Amino acid sequence: MPVIDAHQHFWKLADRIGEWPPAELAAIHRDFEPADLKPLLDAAGIDGTVLVQTMEREADTVYMLSLAGKHDFIHGVVGWTDLKAKDAVQKVAALSHYPKLKGLRPMLQGMSDIDWICDEAIDPAIAAMIDHDLAFDALILPPQLAQIHEFANRHSQLRIVIDHAAKPYIAEGKISEWRSGMKALSLLPNVFCKLSGLLTEAGEQKPQAVRPYAETILELFGPARTLWGSDWPVLRLAGDYQSWFNQCCEIVPSEHHGAVFGQNAIHFYHLNG
């Protein structure tokens, strides 16, 4: 079974003027392209990745698809389009013609309107995503868990994955409210969860602080609906690729490695390899 990193990014700073990351985040304030990641994948024994958007620009999706066309290790792309635009249905259909376009992601975590995702104006675009076999990445924070639950319940045929487990407040040691919201989501069979991004949320705490949150993900979503991802290069703010992979290999029971580190990503995103 191939080993898949279900969440990584590439970017060029020249394309991101005025966008995140700021210069003070020195570890990630530079270009990151396939040649930077490939040695890390080879060293860790990773066979392929899912490349995920980082900007609310269609040009970013075009850039990612162009990279995917040149590099075989990029097995899928999660792009962006304005899901409430008047021509959203047409845009979704057009993007679906790219074989490696596997999903779409609105950047919900940065929206001041936490009810944006509950607006029925999004429904035509979501119906188009379902029709064209595209998945939905939910980039959210804990206060948005109830809204995503409402959205996921309304669109039960849409495959949804919670990026970075909704970024729990690990640095503050908060777990109960997050766990409650995640438990409600886990009861919906169309919702999956990424074991990714947690190290960054740990702040100044030791990497071991991640374990109870990772174990909660595995407990709630089970070994069949948990996907491992690196969140590289954002991961560089808190650790390195190999160490994060090793840490997760220790947390996930060995009998579930095939599923969590590969099979589930292939199943969820309908990857071809």
Side-chain angles (χ1 to χ4, degrees), residues 112-130:
S112 57
D113 179 10
I114 65 172
D115 292 321
W116 184 93
I117 195 64
C118 300
D119 187 349
E120 292 183 0
I122 203 175
D123 289 358
I126 299 302
M129 288 182 65
I130 296 169

Side-chain angles (χ1 to χ4, degrees), residues 59-111:
D60 183 48
T61 300
V62 172
Y63 163 68
M64 292 189 297
L65 289 169
S66 69
L67 291 179
K70 299 172 186 175
H71 301 276
D72 291 341
F73 75 81
I74 303 174
H75 289 192
V77 170
V78 176
W80 177 90
T81 193
D82 183 354
L83 296 175
K84 290 187 182 179
K86 292 182 179 179
D87 61 348
V89 171
Q90 291 77 18
K91 288 288 183 63
V92 171
L95 286 170
S96 73
H97 291 304
Y98 290 89
K100 286 191 175 181
L101 195 283
K102 302 298 183 179
L104 296 171
R105 180 173 88 153
M107 302 191 78
L108 300 175
Q109 70 170 10
M111 294 184 181

Side-chain angles (χ1 to χ4, degrees), residues 14-210:
D15 298 331
R16 308 180 68 85
I17 297 174
E19 298 277 351
W20 188 89
E24 53 264 30
L25 296 180
I28 60 173
H29 192 259
R30 67 170 180 81
D31 294 352
F32 288 97
E33 298 188 87
D36 298 302
L37 178 59
K38 190 60 165 64
L40 304 179
L41 299 178
D42 292 343
I46 309 294
D47 299 294
T49 73
V50 176
L51 175 57
V52 181
Q53 63 84 229
T54 56
M55 287 197 296
E56 295 174 306
R57 297 181 188 175
E58 292 182 355
D60 183 48
T61 300
V62 172
Y63 163 68
M64 292 189 297
L65 289 169
S66 69
L67 291 179
K70 299 172 186 175
H71 301 276
D72 291 341
F73 75 81
I74 303 174
H75 289 192
V77 170
V78 176
W80 177 90
T81 193
D82 183 354
L83 296 175
K84 290 187 182 179
K86 292 182 179 179
D87 61 348
V89 171
Q90 291 77 18
K91 288 288 183 63
V92 171
L95 286 170
S96 73
H97 291 304
Y98 290 89
K100 286 191 175 181
L101 195 283
K102 302 298 183 179
L104 296 171
R105 180 173 88 153
M107 302 191 78
L108 300 175
Q109 70 170 10
M111 294 184 181
S112 57
D113 179 10
I114 65 172
D115 292 321
W116 184 93
I117 195 64
C118 300
D119 187 349
E120 292 183 0
I122 203 175
D123 289 358
I126 299 302
M129 288 182 65
I130 296 169
D131 289 344
H132 293 289
D133 196 29
L134 297 177
F136 184 99
D137 269 55
L139 176 64
I140 61 170
L141 301 173
Q144 298 168 301
L145 285 168
Q147 285 77 12
I148 278 294
H149 184 276
E150 178 183 330
F151 170 76
N153 194 48
R154 190 166 84 243
H155 299 287
S156 60
Q157 298 306 306
L158 179 68
R159 303 190 313 280
I160 299 170
V161 64
I162 308 301
D163 288 351
H164 317 320
K167 297 191 171 183
Y169 301 133
I170 301 174
E172 301 172 27
K174 296 180 179 179
I175 194 169
S176 59
E177 289 187 14
W178 167 79
R179 177 189 168 88
S180 178
M182 292 295 282
K183 182 176 181 179
L185 278 171
S186 73
L187 297 177
L188 302 177
N190 59 319
V191 180
F192 292 61
C193 185
K194 285 186 183 178
L195 178 55
S196 63
L198 299 183
L199 200 60
T200 313
E201 300 305 316
E204 298 300 320
Q205 296 198 60
K206 295 180 179 179
Q208 289 85 346
V210 162

